[in-house]
Amino acid sequence: MFSAYSPRAANAYQRINVETSMHTIDQHQLVSLLYEGVLNSIATARGAMARGDVLGKVNAISKAVRILEEGLSTSLDKVDGGELAENLGALYDYCMRRLILANARNDDAMMQEVMRLIEPVALGWNEIKKTGASASADAPALGQPVLVGA
């Protein structure tokens, strides 16, 4: 009645689940997830390097570089983004170069540097959503008349 466990079927289900959730997620949340992915991958690489797990370190750094290059860099609006997009592009490029060098040299300090550079940007990005949500929650009150002395 039931079929045996099939890794191929499980992978297909997982892929469909990810694709479906990508269509329902807003763009702001997607960028937040990309920042989280970069930071988690670097943390994983640092842990792997500390354990002497070369393959784990290489894979984690490769993942962080791919997220920076294919996710964050390509999503920048280079036409209308102005100086902000230009600066973020330069930051992402610098971080990718530092991660590649950190990988080649087994340099934990370089990985920490990239984390210190990305973390404030990620935190600032998340704050944009929070302040936007609180501002929109206050917005209806702005249109209501104020009763003085009531």
Side-chain angles (χ1 to χ4, degrees), residues 73-90:
S73 289
T74 59
S75 67
L76 293 174
D77 185 353
K78 305 222 190 261
V79 175
D80 296 325
E83 187 179 353
L84 179 61
E86 188 177 315
N87 290 342
L88 284 172

Side-chain angles (χ1 to χ4, degrees), residues 26 28 124-142:
D26 70 3
H28 191 278
W125 183 258
N126 291 335
E127 284 299 313
I128 290 171
K129 185 72 168 187
K130 289 179 188 173
T131 56
S134 65
S136 64
D138 294 339
L142 296 176

